[in-house]
Amino acid sequence: MNADNRYIRFDWAVKRMLRDKANFGVLEGLITVLLNEPVHIVELLQSEGNQDYADDKFNRVDIKAKNDRDEIFLVEVQLTREVYYLERILYGTAKAITEHIHLGENYGEVKKVYSINIIYFDMGKGADYLYHGRNKFVGVHTGDTLQINTKEKGALRLRTPEEVFPEYFIIRVNEFNKVAKTPLEEWLDYLKNGHIKDDTQAPGLQEARNKLQYMMLDNAARHAYDEHINAVMIQNDVLGNARAEGLAEGRAEGLAEGRAEGLAEGRAEGLAEGRIEEKHAIAKSMKQMGLSAEVIAKATGLSEADIAAL
């Protein structure tokens, strides 16, 4: 792809550009492809997780949006590993539900929430690049699916639990290694490589092609984008060695303590300590490459004081 046809990666665009209403079409396209139905975003909903702060974390960005049916979409991009990632997904959906129902309101006002998680790290075992989860209540003995009576517009109708409970999508970007043929595959190719076909018909990618070109950025934004990509590439380069060293030491310590205090606790502590060691190893490698403490802090989540002490 030549420079004139280079596109801004989604993980950067979602923080810097896609919060503009004029660019909602890109985000709508991704959600439309996942849900397999047209989605129209009417507004972005503010919370502490999707505001821009001076010390925004490098490794995570997120957007909370609402469509014209009052359904809520949590779109999160995660660049580095986190031990309790599933727990945080659950917390985020629960918080979104409680934020949008007021004290004293009828429970019928609870909003449907879709949690879309775009991850750029190895979170565990699984051969697919897209996973979808939702709640169903299945009879233990009969195998049938429970349906609940509900009142809508003065009439009773049956609803299934998946119409009410949150739905979860986990997109494992690094696991995508296919030639993009379907709209979903085209989106994965863009999420992973920043590629957009000239003749794409995938929802949202036409808008991305027109609005997210690298050459359209001003000098300051282009510099910020290049720094972001540089930090991601460096982190990916050193992650393998850091993971091996950090996790090996962390697991060893964790297992040693686990024999005394319980194997499960030891493993948890070992993984946590391994992650800290991993960050330190990444920071040391980046310092040796001559990168500034500010860039290293964004890439690792460590404070500049911690980095100076390495």
Side-chain angles (χ1 to χ4, degrees), residues 46-116:
Q46 292 300 314
S47 72
E48 65 180 37
N50 67 0
Q51 293 177 10
D52 285 316
Y53 291 98
D55 61 348
D56 270 348
K57 294 296 185 185
F58 164 81
N59 67 334
R60 191 178 88 228
V61 294
D62 58 275
I63 276 183
K64 184 166 63 172
K66 183 177 75 172
N67 67 5
D68 49 12
R69 296 201 301 244
D70 279 342
E71 296 170 330
I72 297 169
F73 300 94
L74 303 178
V75 181
E76 179 175 285
V77 179
Q78 178 88 12
L79 295 174
T80 59
R81 292 185 301 119
E82 185 164 321
V83 175
Y84 299 110
Y85 190 66
L86 290 179
E87 288 82 353
R88 206 188 69 237
I89 292 175
L90 177 61
Y91 173 80
T93 55
K95 184 177 180 183
I97 292 170
T98 57
E99 281 180 341
H100 296 279
I101 184 170
H102 301 292
L103 185 65
E105 280 189 330
N106 187 287
Y107 287 122
E109 299 301 317
V110 167
K111 308 303 182 187
K112 170 83 172 186
V113 175
Y114 296 88
S115 175
I116 300 168

Side-chain angles (χ1 to χ4, degrees), residues 1-13 17 189-190 192-198 205 207-219 221-233:
M1 182 181 298
N2 60 51
D4 291 334
N5 201 31
R6 181 181 172 192
Y7 298 99
I8 301 302
R9 281 186 15 160
F10 186 83
D11 57 294
W12 191 85
M17 302 175 71
D189 190 29
Y190 170 56
K192 182 174 182 179
N193 304 307
H195 295 165
I196 301 177
K197 293 181 178 180
D198 290 337
L205 289 186
E207 288 83 353
R209 186 184 58 198
N210 295 331
K211 297 179 179 181
L212 303 183
Q213 282 189 306
Y214 175 78
M215 298 304 294
M216 293 174 62
L217 298 177
D218 59 36
N219 290 336
R222 195 179 305 172
H223 175 73
Y225 177 71
D226 288 341
E227 285 285 297
H228 169 80
I229 295 301
N230 187 42
V232 170
M233 292 177 65

